[in-house]
Every structure is written in structure tokens, then in C-alpha cells.
Amino acid sequence: MDAGSRWDAICVGAGITSLAFGAQVVKRHPGARILVIDKHGVPGGYATVFRRPKAGAAFDCSLHKLSGMGEGGNLRRIFANLGLDGELGLKVPADYFEACLPGGSIRFGNGVDAFRQALQDRFPHERAGLDRFFDEVAVHGRNGYHQFQMMDGTFEPDFAQLRYAHKHLKHVTLAQALAERINDPWLREILAATGIYVGGFAEDLGYLYFLHVVYATLTQGNAYVEGASQRLSDVLARRIVAAGGQVLLGTAVRKIIGDDAGKVRGVTTAKGDFYADRVYLNAAPHYALRTLFDDQPALGPVWRKLDNLKPSRSTTTVYLTTDAAPADLGLSSTETMVFACGADASRAARAGCASDEACERAYWRDSVMEVTNYHALDPDGGRIVCLNVLDAMAHWPERRSPAYKLKKARALNVLLERLYAAKPGLRGHVVYTEVSTPRTYERFTNNTDGAGYGAMVGTDLSGHVFHHAFPIAGVHFLSAWVAGPSYEAAFGYAEMKAKQWAA
């Protein structure tokens, strides 16, 4: 590909939102030429795998449970429109997750009715609060789920419901809402556990947003892509290339090129300049403004808006393999949530992070740990299990320092011991481990504070409009920082931007 070439649009970063956007544009507008540029060697961003041949493993970089994959789900509809449903194999798990509590475990079936019934059976004294919660999921979660359709006029909500939500729910955190509805701290911790899907604890997330997450995942169905998330990224990239576009990998973008009239003209890379009148940034906005744009007064209002854009939590992840099928060792569910304490105690531990030791206890020991049994989803991919906890970069030393290496070893030990306590049959059968930290995610993604999910969706959304009326015409933002932290949000936002292509 020649430097100096002209394109209809350039996407900076080959994350899943860029790929979904490019594939939908070329589907809607045959002949549109999209150039996607990324510094990494494979497309997909978080939707990729990394391989360890000696361990016989291909690890998924992040959780890739897809919401909205049931009948009527938005992501299923978009997949069908792109013809992906015939090209991708999907695995629908039988269970939502297994909750491992100190006193035993609860396995939840996959679906809102099964989840609700299991909770009512286990916590009959909380039936009124559970009824209220699930009724709010059905009404306000549904409205939030169709946010992009509201914007383009294809979904008309009940405006009385929207007014109620704006007045009573919009400014309430998940922790506050659950405390008002549910007395049992263990039940509150279970209900809030799937906040790990979107990068927040109960005290971080807005309640109204969380209702949408539950609706998307349980009411609208969930599934996994066979062959891991890399399979999805590769299929989308091929669609862009087949339409005359290009995915240029191993190439970092250095600067956005603008003109004196305040319009974008292209990008500068190590391989030369490429030109387009539309540039879509799939990157953390803080990083993009700091490194890709020259310092200019016009960006001042954008920076002030970004002051209110809070990053999501990061994660610490243990990737491991076993010498036998995990199910034969007691890990039979596709997903397991390991709980250490109830909601009040876990939140108090996080509020008391005044030292490195306190942070390690709060994030690694006292908060929920999510376990994905990838072997149950794709046996051909290896005997792979991943452990995830939400974390914060502030207590992690710089990479490659002696203190950093010691801290990684402590994290590995703590998370493995939690796994063994919940599933004793795994002890002695783990044969390979690897740890990723918030510093790892910062290095590979340039995300602010190593955020694993883009922006936090809390109760203050003022920072989320940082890109509105952006002062350089033709510059657009993609990624989880504007779309929201999930695959379905990425595809939904990409669909909305693709519909605006001809505008």
C-alpha cells in the first residue's frame, strides 16, 4: 500500500468498534474504502487472543461473553444483517454463572426467569426486593437497552417511564439502589457481581445503566463465539479488505493531520501519511488528545469535559492451563463467581485502600473473582481457565521493577488459592500460569489508568459528551470510551455511526 493514498475514512486503532464500524459501512455503502491502522500485529484490540505454543494454549485477552444474542437481541440482529450468523459458530452456555459462597454454591440457569427463580428460592425473605429489582430490569433496563434505537427513531419508549427513571434512578448508584431494595448483603453482592462485565463495582456504577446490562445479558440472551473473540475480529477485518479497504497492522499513528480551516485531512504514521476527510479514533480520548493532536486552544473545552470522564476499573487476570479437563476437576460451569464476603464488607474494604497491602486485600481477596472455563466453551482451544478481578493501577509499581515482579507473584498466589478454596479438585493440576496486571493493559492499550472497559458509566455522565462539537471537523471517536463497555455496545454504536455515513 502506497503512502500518500486517499481513503474515504481512516480508523485509528483496530479495536472491535472500528472493525464493526468498517464492516457495517461497506455493507451499507459498497465501494466505500476504509483504512484501519493499528500498532499491534493482529486486529481486534481486546477482542484478540495471544498464543503460548509450549503450553498448547491460545488465551482470550478478555471476557468475550456476548449479550443481545437471543431472539430479538440487538447484537443478533446486527450479526444477521452482516451475514455473520452463518459464518460464526456460537456457543450458548446452559448456565448464567455458578456462585461460590463460603457456605456452598448456587448454580444459576441462563435466562432471566431461571436467575430470578433461583434467587427467590435461596433468599425467600427478599422476595419483595427481588420483585422490584426484576420489574425495574424489565422496564427501565429495556429502555436503556434501546438507547441507540431511540436516537435514530426506530424505538419509541414510554416517556412517562423515562421521566420516572430520570427523576428517581439516574443519580443513584447500584450500591445505593440495592441497599434500598435488598437487606441481605450476600444477595446484594451476587446481584452486583456482573458489574465485572462492564468494569465497575456496585459503588461505581449507575443503577439505571446496570439495569440495562442485566436486561441485555439475561433477557436478550448471551453466547460466546466459537474460536474465541479473535475469530470475530478476523471475520470483520476480512469484510473490510474484501470491499477494497485495508487493515494496516504493526503501524503506529503519530499525528492527526489538520488544515488551517479546522478540518481533518489524514494521519501521519511511520510508514508515511495517509489521507481522508474522516478520521475515527478508536483510542482512549486522553491518550489521543495528548499524543495525536498538536496543542491548541480549541481543544481546551474538550479537556475540561474529560476531567469528568472517569475511567473504568482495570483488571488483574490469571491465565492458566490444567493437565485434565477442568470439568473433571470440579469446574463444571462455564462461568463461576467466587465470593469472599457480603456487599457491605467488600465495599468497606475498597473504601479503606490507604496502603498497598489494603488494596491487595480489597481487590484480590475481598471482592468477587470471576472464573471462565474456556475449555467448556471450546475444547479444541486447550484446557484453559481465566481468573479475573477488578483492580486499580494506583497500587501497582512500575513494570519490570523488583517490586512489580513480587507483586505479580503475590497476586498469582492469592487468586489461585481462592480458586482452590472454591474448587479443591483443581489443586495440583494447574500446569501453566501467566498474570496480566493493570500495567499490562496500560502498556498494550494506552488506556487511562489501564482501564479495561473504557469509561466508567456511573451517575455523572457529563464527561461522556467530550466528543460532541469536536473542534476539528471530520474527527470522530469510537471505542468503549464512547460506545460503552461491551461487545453489543460496540456494535450498536458502530451501527449508529454507520447510519450517519451519508449525513
Side-chain angles (χ1 to χ4, degrees):
M1 180 174 56
D2 295 330
S5 55
R6 172 159 288 280
W7 302 83
D8 294 311
I10 297 172
C11 293
V12 178
I16 196 67
T17 319
S18 284
L19 299 177
F21 168 74
Q24 292 186 73
V25 167
V26 300
K27 172 73 173 179
R28 291 172 175 272
H29 303 279
R33 297 175 67 248
I34 310 293
L35 172 62
V36 183
I37 308 175
D38 198 284
K39 67 177 182 177
H40 296 297
V42 293
Y46 275 115
T48 55
V49 300
F50 62 94
R51 302 183 187 281
R52 296 293 182 262
K54 292 182 179 180
F59 293 108
D60 219 307
C61 286
S62 66
L63 291 170
H64 75 278
K65 178 181 278 188
L66 307 178
S67 61
M69 292 305 295
E71 193 69 37
N74 282 332
L75 191 53
R76 180 170 175 174
R77 172 184 55 77
I78 295 172
F79 273 27
N81 290 343
L82 289 171
L84 297 178
D85 49 350
E87 194 167 351
L88 294 172
L90 296 171
K91 171 77 173 183
V92 179
D95 49 273
Y96 184 31
F97 64 81
E98 179 184 358
C100 288
L101 307 165
S105 64
I106 315 169
R107 178 171 288 192
F108 299 111
N110 194 2
V112 66
D113 293 336
F115 186 48
R116 182 175 187 168
Q117 187 61 56
L119 290 173
Q120 289 177 341
D121 291 345
R122 184 62 177 260
F123 301 95
H125 53 291
E126 297 284 5
R127 186 179 186 95
L130 284 168
D131 285 346
R132 182 179 176 186
F133 172 77
F134 282 103
D135 287 348
E136 288 169 336
V137 168
V139 174
H140 305 295
R142 177 175 178 267
N143 287 336
Y145 181 74
H146 292 289
Q147 58 180 314
F148 297 133
Q149 288 75 39
M150 285 188 203
M151 293 178 186
D152 67 18
T154 57
F155 176 83
E156 186 167 346
D158 182 322
F159 287 95
Q161 294 172 355
L162 294 185
R163 287 192 293 270
Y164 176 90
H166 181 82
K167 182 177 181 179
H168 298 286
L169 303 178
K170 183 178 180 180
H171 304 291
V172 177
T173 67
L174 174 58
Q176 292 167 334
L178 291 181
E180 181 182 335
R181 291 153 179 76
I182 304 293
N183 292 316
D184 193 301
W186 288 103
L187 177 54
R188 279 186 269 134
E189 192 78 342
I190 291 170
L191 287 172
T194 52
I196 200 169
Y197 295 165
V198 291
F201 294 114
E203 63 269 26
D204 301 320
L205 297 169
Y207 181 58
L208 193 58
Y209 171 68
F210 186 77
L211 294 175
H212 147 233
V213 173
V214 176
Y215 183 88
T217 308
L218 276 179
T219 301
Q220 296 302 106
N222 57 80
Y224 294 83
V225 175
E226 292 181 356
S229 57
Q230 186 70 67
R231 169 74 175 150
L232 173 59
S233 298
D234 290 345
V235 168
L236 294 171
R238 286 198 296 269
R239 295 291 179 87
I240 294 169
V241 173
Q246 184 69 41
V247 179
L248 180 60
L249 301 173
T251 305
V253 171
R254 294 175 174 174
K255 286 292 180 182
I256 304 299
I257 303 170
D259 63 17
D260 294 339
K263 297 180 180 179
V264 73
R265 291 302 179 216
V267 301
T268 295
T269 78
K271 296 180 179 178
D273 296 346
F274 300 93
Y275 298 100
D277 293 333
R278 308 185 221 200
V279 173
Y280 294 81
L281 301 179
N282 192 342
H286 311 79
Y287 168 82
L289 263 64
R290 186 173 59 250
T291 62
L292 301 182
F293 294 91
D294 292 328
D295 189 22
Q296 50 188 290
L299 293 176
V302 183
W303 276 114
R304 287 191 287 275
K305 292 176 186 177
L306 283 177
D307 287 341
N308 295 319
L309 189 69
K310 182 181 178 182
S312 71
R313 300 282 182 168
S314 188
T315 57
T316 291
T317 303
V318 175
Y319 304 94
L320 65 87
T321 63
T322 57
D323 60 8
D328 295 339
L329 303 173
L331 190 67
S332 55
S333 297
T334 55
E335 186 172 31
T336 302
M337 300 284 188
V338 180
F339 298 90
C341 50
D344 298 329
S346 67
R347 190 166 69 253
R350 294 188 292 272
C353 284
S355 66
D356 287 355
E357 183 179 359
C359 288
E360 290 179 12
R361 172 168 289 280
Y363 296 124
W364 304 349
R365 296 180 187 273
D366 291 344
S367 299
V368 64
M369 180 174 77
E370 189 273 343
V371 181
T372 301
N373 178 1
Y374 280 100
H375 182 260
L377 297 165
D378 182 16
D380 294 335
R383 296 185 289 270
I384 293 171
V385 176
C386 289
L387 320 179
N388 294 285
V389 291
L390 295 179
D391 205 344
M393 198 172 73
H395 69 103
W396 278 90
E398 292 296 325
R399 288 181 58 252
R400 299 189 178 182
S401 65
Y404 177 75
K405 294 177 182 178
L406 289 172
K407 198 177 189 80
K408 281 183 71 174
R410 289 197 300 275
L412 174 61
N413 180 67
V414 169
L415 299 187
L416 282 179
E417 285 301 319
R418 288 188 69 183
L419 176 67
Y420 298 150
K423 299 294 178 182
L426 287 164
R427 189 181 292 275
H429 294 279
V430 173
V431 295
Y432 177 86
T433 60
E434 186 168 339
V435 180
S436 289
T437 76
R439 295 286 181 190
T440 312
Y441 294 115
E442 179 194 41
R443 176 191 175 200
F444 282 100
T445 68
N446 296 315
N447 276 348
T448 307
D449 294 343
Y453 309 80
M456 181 73 74
V457 187
T459 56
D460 180 3
L461 302 181
S462 60
H464 289 249
V465 297
F466 72 90
H467 54 103
H468 290 188
F470 195 75
I472 302 173
V475 171
H476 306 264
F477 286 81
L478 299 173
S479 86
W481 291 91
V482 290
S486 74
Y487 283 77
E488 187 173 17
F491 274 84
Y493 190 82
E495 180 185 47
M496 183 183 73
K497 297 297 287 186
K499 287 179 178 179
Q500 296 170 357
W501 178 263

